[in-house]
């Protein structure tokens, strides 16, 4: 294959990158390449191998959608999370890369427990990303996932089909009373954006993610306050909660897990950019 026979797609990707950058897309080059790979049935590392004659003009339809700030994952119908490829689309929160470090910490915590078959509960599961990652990477775990929103639940059902994850339709704040005092780890990526921050939220999230998955009261912490009570009920003594929050909420969330309410070692943990991203706490005996 001569250089000229494989230059068209890369030239189009370069032009698309400029368009996406002008539209304010945070990762214009990556998105332009990912959409090119999606349309042409290849991956980003092999775009230069697509012959000019195979260029598909539908590529520009996907670029126009991304230019309008439709999420990349809604266009391709897939999201990558740790070692998983998930099906996503309108009606479900798209898992973010920063949550991978939250799950990584939780996986190490469960592996360190002296428990043959640890019981894990993922509250506000959305697409099922967290629950599936734990089930995959901690093979002996028994993982339960809870989701209230019916739209998100439909996507979670698709993703957990054939896995060991047990999916429950219900409210995270009253979920799974049959597991009270038996759970080793509770994990959640709950809504935590303050209602006052609506205008500052990226269009991909504000206009496309379910509102139920984003906002939680004036300070963004209403759901986490409720999760503290749920986790206190579900966890055995020595069990651990892991809950994601905004980096701007660092220092606030650990105070929601006080010692006088049966918690110990409440602390913020950093993400890969060394920003406070999630809080962990240990349930102590009553």
């Amino acid at each position: 294959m001569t250089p000229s026979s494989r230059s068209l797609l890369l030239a189009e990707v370069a032009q698309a990158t400029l368009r996406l950058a002008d539209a304010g897309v945070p990762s214009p080059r990556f998105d332009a390449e990912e959409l090119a790979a999606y349309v042409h049935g290849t991956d980003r590392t092999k775009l230069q191998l697509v012959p000019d004659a195979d260029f598909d003009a539908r590529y520009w339809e996907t670029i126009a959608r991304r230019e309008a700030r439709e999420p990349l994952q809604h266009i391709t119908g897939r999201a990558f999370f740790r070692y998983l490829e998930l099906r996503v689309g309108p009606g479900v929160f798209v898992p973010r890369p920063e949550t991978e470090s939250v799950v990584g910490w939780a996986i190490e915590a469960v592996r360190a427990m002296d428990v043959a078959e640890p019981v894990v509960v993922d509250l506000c599961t959305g697409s099922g990303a967290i629950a599936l990652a734990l089930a995959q990477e901690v093979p002996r775990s028994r993982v339960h996932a809870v989701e209230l929103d019916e739209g998100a639940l439909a996507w979670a059902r698709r993703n957990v089909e054939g896995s060991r994850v047990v999916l429950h339709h219900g409210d995270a704040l009253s979920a799974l009373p049959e597991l009270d005092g038996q759970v080793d780890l509770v994990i959640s990526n709950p809504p935590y954006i303050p209602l006052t921050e609506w205008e500052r939220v990226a269009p991909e999230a504000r206009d496309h993610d379910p509102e139920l998955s984003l906002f939680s009261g004036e300070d963004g912490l209403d759901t986490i306050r409720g999760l503290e009570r749920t986790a206190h009920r579900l966890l055995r003594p020595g069990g651990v909660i892991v809950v994601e929050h905004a980096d701007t909420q660092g220092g606030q969330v650990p105070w929601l897990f006080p010692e006088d309410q049966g918690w110990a070692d409440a602390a913020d943990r950093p993400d890969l950019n060394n920003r406070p991203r999630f809080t962990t706490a240990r349930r102590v005996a009553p």
Side-chain angles (χ1 to χ4, degrees):
M1 183 179 293
T2 63
S4 61
S5 68
R6 60 192 186 201
S7 61
L8 177 60
L9 181 55
L10 294 183
E12 300 293 279
V13 166
Q15 184 179 347
T17 299
L18 294 176
R19 280 181 52 174
L20 295 182
D22 288 343
V25 172
S27 52
R29 181 75 187 188
F30 176 88
D31 289 19
E33 292 178 346
E34 188 69 15
L35 289 170
Y38 165 70
V39 169
H40 293 89
T42 184
D43 62 54
R44 290 172 52 239
T45 64
K46 297 178 181 177
L47 294 177
Q48 74 277 11
L49 301 179
V50 177
D52 288 2
D54 290 347
F55 176 73
D56 191 332
R58 289 178 299 175
Y59 175 55
W60 289 110
E61 296 175 12
T62 67
I63 291 299
R65 292 169 65 183
R66 188 68 187 100
E67 202 172 16
R69 304 301 291 272
E70 183 177 348
L72 171 69
Q73 296 85 354
H74 283 198
I75 300 170
T76 64
R78 64 190 184 191
F80 298 98
F81 186 84
R82 292 183 68 87
Y83 304 105
L84 300 168
E85 180 177 328
L86 304 161
R87 286 177 284 182
V88 296
V92 69
F93 181 83
V94 175
R96 270 52 169 186
E98 52 265 30
T99 305
E100 294 190 17
S101 60
V102 182
V103 175
W105 192 97
I107 288 169
E108 292 305 316
V110 174
R111 287 173 175 169
M113 293 178 179
D114 187 19
V115 179
E117 296 182 344
V119 179
V120 174
V121 171
D122 172 23
L123 300 173
C124 310
T125 195
S127 66
I130 290 175
L132 284 164
L134 278 152
Q136 181 185 69
E137 297 182 55
V138 188
R140 293 186 178 180
S141 60
R142 292 182 288 158
V143 182
H144 297 263
V146 178
E147 178 56 51
L148 177 62
D149 183 81
E150 291 189 2
L153 190 73
W155 288 103
R157 285 196 181 105
R158 296 185 187 109
N159 287 319
V160 307
E161 185 178 3
S163 75
R164 293 184 297 103
V165 173
V166 180
L167 184 62
H168 305 264
H169 183 200
D171 189 334
L173 304 188
S174 58
L176 305 175
E178 65 274 19
L179 293 180
D180 284 358
Q182 303 174 51
V183 177
D184 298 289
L185 182 128
V186 169
I187 185 168
S188 182
N189 179 16
Y192 52 70
I193 300 174
L195 291 170
T196 54
E197 297 291 315
W198 187 89
E199 292 184 353
R200 297 183 177 90
V201 178
E204 288 86 348
R206 185 189 64 218
D207 300 337
H208 296 278
D209 282 332
E211 187 173 319
L212 189 65
S213 70
L214 298 176
F215 302 100
S216 187
E218 292 299 314
D219 64 356
L221 300 179
D222 283 1
T223 301
I224 296 178
R225 292 186 181 96
L227 292 178
E228 181 272 328
R229 295 188 290 273
T230 301
H232 190 277
R233 169 173 59 81
L234 289 172
L235 289 171
R236 63 167 174 81
V240 173
I241 182 170
V242 183
V243 60
E244 183 172 335
H245 56 71
D247 55 3
T248 56
Q249 293 165 331
Q252 299 177 56
V253 178
W255 290 101
L256 302 181
F257 298 87
E259 291 184 5
D260 62 5
Q261 292 186 26
W263 297 101
D265 306 325
D268 273 328
R269 308 285 179 174
D271 60 19
L272 295 178
N273 294 313
N274 206 33
R275 293 179 296 208
R277 175 57 58 186
F278 59 104
T279 292
T280 64
R282 180 170 52 86
R283 174 79 163 88
V284 295

